Amino acid sequence: MNCDEAEELITALADRALPDSDAASLEAHLKGCANCRGVLHEERSLKQAVQKIGERVRAPESLRAKIISDTRIFPERSRPVRPWRDFIWPTPLGYRPALGGALVIAVVLSAFYFFSHKKEPIAIAALDSYGLVLKGKLPVPRTANPDEIAERLTRAVGGRFHPMGYDFSAMDLRPVAGLVREIQGRELLLAIYQGGGDTIFCYTFIGNEENAPRNAARFFDPDKKIHFYAFSSGAVNAVLHREGEVICILASEMPMDKLLALAKSKAKPS
């Protein structure tokens, strides 16, 4: 199960309405994915917030009457109003305004939550290319000349910024390919390092530290005065840091502690 599939089921899990077969697969994914665990936490927090708001908000009688009389919602106008009210508002009269307010707020907040989460952080969206490239679903021009990769990527963005150009030769890793991707209206440079059984993707784009996922673990290097943000998407680990106006993300399936140490050793203070 990948993150997209998991997020489709998280709401049902929070509602305790997920079949056991799907719940088992989702729970297995959640154990290894901090990002999806964060989404589940937010989903549950939202439901608790809506419940608390519904307990203290009272909708005006006029608003309730307006909703009931709206023919777009209730097209059968020939039916008397009272039966509809009894059907929609079966609770005791004193609690009906609170229920109406809770219903309106729940609809608004749920819509906001749904649309805001569809636009995932750019750092998470960038990692989608990791699996696509390794599975051959995203063509990437390859070359044996590392300088050619850097020159081509820099030229593609008009020289506004450059790929990081880290040297991983001590790990028997060398640049083998590169491409430019546009994500959420921004251009990202991707340099791919392979060799020695490992693969590292190095993403570079203009941004700031707010582009790190909200649930990323933050580490501060006092010597270089740089913050590092560690996060995961499925089996892929990633570390984000900023050098000037440029963001770098190193992504790999190597253990997080190893990847974090590598990012710290290669980062250059602004």
Side-chain angles (χ1 to χ4, degrees), residues 114-134:
F114 175 80
F115 287 110
S116 66
H117 276 71
K118 284 302 178 181
K119 186 176 180 180
E120 59 189 349
I122 189 171
I124 295 295
L127 297 188
D128 290 344
S129 60
Y130 191 96
L132 294 176
V133 170
L134 295 187

Side-chain angles (χ1 to χ4, degrees), residues 3-235:
C3 292
D4 289 337
E5 294 169 336
E7 291 191 16
E8 293 293 331
L9 302 176
I10 281 176
T11 298
L13 180 66
D15 290 334
R16 298 181 181 178
L18 195 63
D20 291 343
S21 57
D22 290 333
S25 299
L26 178 57
E27 292 288 358
H29 174 81
L30 290 172
K31 289 181 180 179
C33 182
N35 181 65
C36 287
R37 289 199 301 272
V39 173
L40 176 60
H41 175 73
E42 292 179 1
E43 180 77 22
R44 287 171 171 167
S45 297
L46 175 68
K47 293 182 183 300
Q48 292 174 358
V50 170
Q51 183 178 5
K52 290 180 180 179
I53 292 173
E55 292 173 353
R56 63 174 183 268
V57 174
R58 294 181 178 275
E61 179 71 22
S62 58
L63 175 59
R64 188 183 67 185
K66 185 176 181 180
I67 293 174
I68 294 175
S69 62
D70 192 329
T71 56
R72 294 171 299 177
I73 302 174
F74 305 117
E76 300 181 28
R77 297 187 63 185
S78 60
R79 185 184 293 262
V81 173
R82 182 64 186 178
W84 273 112
R85 294 179 60 181
D86 288 341
F87 176 76
I88 299 297
W89 313 101
T91 56
L93 188 61
Y95 293 97
R96 291 175 183 177
L99 181 58
L103 178 61
V104 173
I105 291 171
V107 171
V108 172
L109 289 181
S110 296
F112 172 79
Y113 180 77
F114 175 80
F115 287 110
S116 66
H117 276 71
K118 284 302 178 181
K119 186 176 180 180
E120 59 189 349
I122 189 171
I124 295 295
L127 297 188
D128 290 344
S129 60
Y130 191 96
L132 294 176
V133 170
L134 295 187
K135 293 176 182 177
K137 296 181 179 180
L138 182 62
V140 183
R142 291 180 173 264
T143 178
N145 186 346
D147 293 335
E148 180 183 333
I149 296 174
E151 180 182 350
R152 178 164 47 80
L153 294 181
T154 302
R155 187 171 60 249
V157 292
R160 290 182 292 112
F161 61 104
H162 311 271
M164 285 301 184
Y166 291 140
D167 182 3
F168 298 135
S169 58
M171 302 170 60
D172 194 24
L173 288 168
R174 291 171 175 77
V176 297
L179 77 158
V180 180
R181 299 203 74 194
E182 182 174 320
I183 299 178
Q184 298 180 8
R186 278 190 274 184
E187 292 174 310
L188 280 73
L189 305 183
L190 169 58
I192 302 173
Y193 295 77
Q194 288 183 326
D198 284 323
T199 296
I200 294 179
F201 279 30
C202 180
Y203 301 88
T204 310
F205 60 96
I206 295 177
N208 53 51
E209 293 180 25
E210 293 182 359
N211 296 132
R214 287 175 295 175
N215 63 335
R218 187 174 69 173
F219 303 89
F220 180 69
D221 187 316
D223 295 327
K224 295 185 176 181
K225 295 181 173 55
I226 295 178
H227 285 103
F228 295 87
Y229 299 82
F231 57 98
S232 300
S233 179

